[in-house]
Amino acid sequence: AILPRPGTRPLQAPPRKWPALTTFTARAGAPLIPVHRSEDELLAQGAMTVLALSLDSRDVILNPYPLTGPAGFALALAPWLISGAVLTQHQPFDYAVFVQQLLANGATVTALPYPVLEELAKDRVLEERRCALRRVGAVWTTFEHTLPLSLGTGALLFDLYPLGDLASVVLRRDN
C-alpha cells in the first residue's frame, strides 16, 4: 500500500515468535485452555470468507454475532480486516432493530440462523426496495442437511458452519 521512496529498501518483517491472537476454550476436565492463533491462521480464515463470497471494499457486513466467537470471526472480523468492507455490529439480537439496520445501513452481506432467515423471507424484508443484500448466509450449529432457502431475491446464498474456537467453514450455495 505504501510504495518505498527511491533509494530505500523495504524492511524485512522479523520472524514471528508469538501468536497473533490467543483465545480460550474449555474441554471436559479442563476449564480454561489457551488457543494460540498465528497471523497466517487468522488471514486464512478471513480469506476463505472473502474469496467464497467475493467481498470487497464496497460491501457492508451486518454482523449479529460476537466477534470473539467463530461465526462473528468468520463472517465479520477477519473478512472486514482483509476486504476493507464496512462492518456494522448488531448485538444483542433484536429482530426489529436488525431489520432497521439492514435497510438503513445498506448492508450487502449478513448471516443468521435459519429460523431468522425464514422470518425475514416471510416478512418480505429481503424483497423491499431499500434492501441491498447481495449475499445471505444461514448459520448452522452442526453439519446437518441444509434446508432449502428461498428468499425471493437473487442474492448469493451461503452456509456458515462454526466449528468451535475460531474455526469456521463458509460454503457458497449454487443458486
Side-chain angles (χ1 to χ4, degrees):
I2 300 173
L3 297 175
R5 294 183 186 170
T8 62
R9 298 179 294 182
L11 294 173
Q12 296 298 319
R16 297 177 209 141
K17 296 179 184 176
W18 309 104
L21 178 70
T22 300
T23 59
F24 296 88
T25 191
R27 301 282 190 263
L32 201 58
I33 300 171
V35 179
H36 304 290
R37 301 283 183 206
S38 70
E39 288 176 23
D40 293 338
E41 289 174 303
L42 300 177
L43 290 171
Q45 180 68 61
M48 175 190 56
T49 304
V50 169
L51 294 172
L53 305 181
S54 302
L55 299 179
D56 61 38
S57 62
R58 295 169 294 193
D59 284 302
V60 177
I61 302 166
L62 178 54
N63 175 43
Y65 293 94
L67 296 176
T68 55
F73 189 79
L75 173 66
L77 184 62
W80 169 61
L81 293 171
I82 292 172
S83 70
V86 172
L87 176 59
T88 302
Q89 284 295 105
H90 175 84
Q91 294 156 0
F93 191 80
D94 178 297
Y95 182 79
V97 175
F98 183 85
V99 170
Q100 180 185 14
Q101 277 185 289
L102 177 70
L103 300 175
N105 294 334
T108 60
V109 181
T110 196
L112 296 159
Y114 182 78
V116 179
L117 290 175
E118 282 184 315
E119 285 301 308
L120 287 173
K122 186 173 77 176
D123 293 342
R124 301 180 149 237
V125 172
L126 304 177
E127 296 175 42
E128 282 210 24
R129 180 180 47 82
R130 297 178 296 155
C131 184
L133 278 178
R134 294 191 321 250
R135 297 165 198 87
V136 181
V139 178
W140 305 97
T141 55
T142 62
F143 275 104
E144 54 198 296
H145 292 295
T146 55
L147 300 173
L149 192 56
S150 176
L151 301 174
T153 70
L156 177 138
L157 302 176
F158 65 94
D159 296 299
L160 193 155
Y161 297 94
L163 303 176
D165 300 326
L166 289 182
S168 293
V169 173
V170 175
L171 299 173
R172 191 175 171 156
R173 287 191 183 192
D174 293 325
N175 294 6

